[in-house]
Amino acid sequence: MRGQSARSGIEGTVNIYNMKKGNCALSYSEKERICEEAFIKNGPYWHIYTDGTKMQNIFCSKEDFDTGAWLLAAACCLCPEVRLITFELMGNHVHLIVSGRKEDCLTLFDIFAGKLKRTLRRKGRAIDWRPFQASILPIESLQALRNEIIYTNRNAFVASPEYTPDSYPWGGGCAFFNMWKKHIRPTKLTSLKVKTQRSLVHSRDVKPFGLLQIIDNQAYIPSFCDIALGESVFRDPRSYFSALTRNAEAYSQVAARLKDSVFLTDDEIYSATIIHINKEYDIKQPTALTPTQKLETARHLHFKYNASNQQIRRILKLSPEILDELFPQ
């Protein structure tokens, strides 16, 4: 019954989004109103995250990441009153965007963390879990929820050149506005042998996990993550994609809330540099900057966009010694 309740909530969100898709002629303000209604109806919202700067690597292989995704899926089934909107499992930290009572959302994290510790311990992994603590921040407006979803879905893309926001397999971003979902035929977890089910969810009792699905031995993300709810707070796929690629100001605001470090790729830092020097100096290329202009631009990139010394060095061709003096690490 608890699982059926969670499923009905997801289907309700799907209906909201389907209604939006059928109204392409709606005005901007009408689309915003529908998004606002979805936001109000399904809250409250939270961003749960852990501090990767204090934590050693948790996920060191594809197998580790797959295990983490299965354990998160299992935790979602055990906390049906919480709706996971999107997530990102990173090597040494995690991001969860969730909807539900604060206490229930923290319970979800505790179940996930507990399962993760026990499972990796059985695999012989020696990890100091003390820094793996949940921080939780409220998300109090529609635009803030959009920004937090975008920030989470970009996390692996910013950290690694191997991925785009929609290709990372251990996060919800790969399922957002993905037309291929309707062509994918995942297998129900319940159709597998009980022994196999137990090995995937790392639990002897597999009854709570009947809604989970599997594809290529991985937990099928839309079977435990309410992608439709996440999609419903964006006006349309284009507005989502635009926010994903062209909103450095919003990324910086979220990073400041999370006290995060790097949140833009080199390409994005370069674009911010070109915009700044064109506006301030009427110069189109960093190579044309004077030494004084380079130092001012370096300060701008460091303080506004949290660019690392390595990023600034690559773009402005400043020496490591100068950067270390400007921004000691």
Side-chain angles (χ1 to χ4, degrees):
M1 183 62 69
R2 286 155 62 90
Q4 290 175 350
S5 174
R7 174 58 59 189
S8 65
I10 292 178
E11 289 175 347
T13 306
V14 171
N15 290 336
I16 291 173
Y17 183 59
N18 285 341
M19 178 180 68
K20 287 171 61 181
K21 290 194 292 186
N23 291 324
C24 297
L26 290 177
S27 67
Y28 178 95
S29 60
E30 289 170 328
K31 290 180 179 180
E32 279 292 287
R33 177 183 56 78
I34 293 173
C35 291
E36 190 71 44
E37 289 175 355
F39 172 81
I40 293 171
K41 179 179 179 180
N42 294 290
Y45 305 92
W46 309 89
H47 189 155
I48 299 176
Y49 63 99
T50 62
D51 187 348
T53 64
K54 299 177 181 178
M55 188 68 197
Q56 69 188 91
N57 279 350
I58 304 167
F59 308 109
C60 301
S61 66
K62 179 183 182 300
E63 181 185 1
D64 288 346
F65 277 103
D66 288 348
T67 296
W70 275 112
L71 296 178
L72 179 59
C76 289
C77 292
L78 295 172
C79 290
E81 46 286 302
V82 177
R83 299 165 79 176
L84 178 65
I85 298 172
T86 194
F87 70 98
E88 203 95 327
L89 302 184
M90 302 294 290
N92 57 12
H93 68 283
V94 302
H95 291 272
L96 311 176
I97 306 299
V98 291
S99 168
R101 294 192 315 152
K102 182 178 181 180
E103 297 79 6
D104 294 333
C105 294
L106 288 172
T107 296
L108 169 66
F109 176 84
D110 288 342
I111 292 173
F112 167 60
K115 283 180 167 291
L116 194 58
K117 294 172 188 177
R118 290 190 296 273
T119 300
L120 293 186
R121 190 178 298 122
R122 286 196 296 267
K123 289 174 177 272
R125 294 284 302 282
I127 296 175
D128 179 3
W129 290 101
R130 287 174 294 179
F132 193 65
Q133 301 293 327
S135 296
I136 184 167
L137 292 173
I139 305 173
E140 297 176 335
S141 70
L142 172 62
Q143 189 56 51
L145 179 57
R146 289 168 173 166
N147 292 345
E148 303 277 346
I149 290 172
I150 292 295
Y151 189 88
T152 298
N153 288 354
R154 281 172 46 89
N155 217 248
F157 158 70
V158 172
S160 172
E162 297 178 13
Y163 300 103
T164 69
D166 60 0
S167 71
Y168 188 65
W170 303 291
C174 62
F176 270 65
F177 297 104
N178 187 333
M179 64 169 288
W180 296 108
K181 290 201 299 284
K182 63 185 178 182
H183 301 295
I184 295 173
R185 296 292 179 265
T187 301
K188 292 182 179 180
L189 184 67
T190 53
S191 68
L192 305 178
K193 294 180 179 179
V194 172
K195 182 179 179 180
T196 303
Q197 295 180 50
R198 288 172 174 169
S199 69
L200 291 171
V201 297
H202 296 271
S203 175
R204 286 196 59 79
D205 181 10
V206 297
K207 290 180 182 177
F209 313 116
L211 293 177
L212 293 182
Q213 297 174 309
I214 179 174
I215 186 164
D216 194 24
N217 214 42
Q218 292 180 285
Y220 182 56
I221 290 171
S223 71
F224 67 92
C225 188
D226 195 344
I227 301 299
L229 174 53
E231 291 176 338
S232 74
V233 300
F234 293 90
R235 292 184 299 278
D236 45 46
R238 181 169 60 187
S239 69
Y240 170 78
F241 183 78
S242 179
L244 200 63
T245 56
R246 301 179 180 178
N247 205 348
E249 294 289 342
Y251 313 150
S252 65
Q253 292 170 10
V254 177
R257 264 169 49 94
L258 274 56
K259 297 181 175 60
D260 216 343
S261 52
V262 177
F263 56 87
L264 294 177
T265 65
D266 280 11
D267 288 341
E268 290 168 330
I269 290 290
Y270 182 80
S271 296
T273 303
I274 298 303
I275 291 171
H276 175 73
I277 65 176
N278 192 26
K279 177 182 177 182
E280 296 295 322
Y281 313 119
D282 195 25
I283 290 175
K284 295 183 178 180
Q285 294 296 329
T287 53
L289 292 170
T290 67
T292 300
Q293 290 169 341
K294 282 189 176 184
L295 293 178
E296 188 280 329
T297 301
R299 293 187 182 94
H300 173 78
L301 296 177
H302 175 83
F303 291 111
K304 185 166 185 178
Y305 298 110
N306 213 25
S308 68
N309 285 6
Q310 291 76 17
Q311 288 178 316
I312 297 172
R313 176 182 58 79
R314 288 191 289 266
I315 291 168
L316 297 179
K317 307 302 184 209
L318 287 170
S319 72
E321 293 76 18
I322 290 175
L323 290 170
D324 289 341
E325 185 177 342
L326 281 173
F327 317 117
Q329 295 181 318

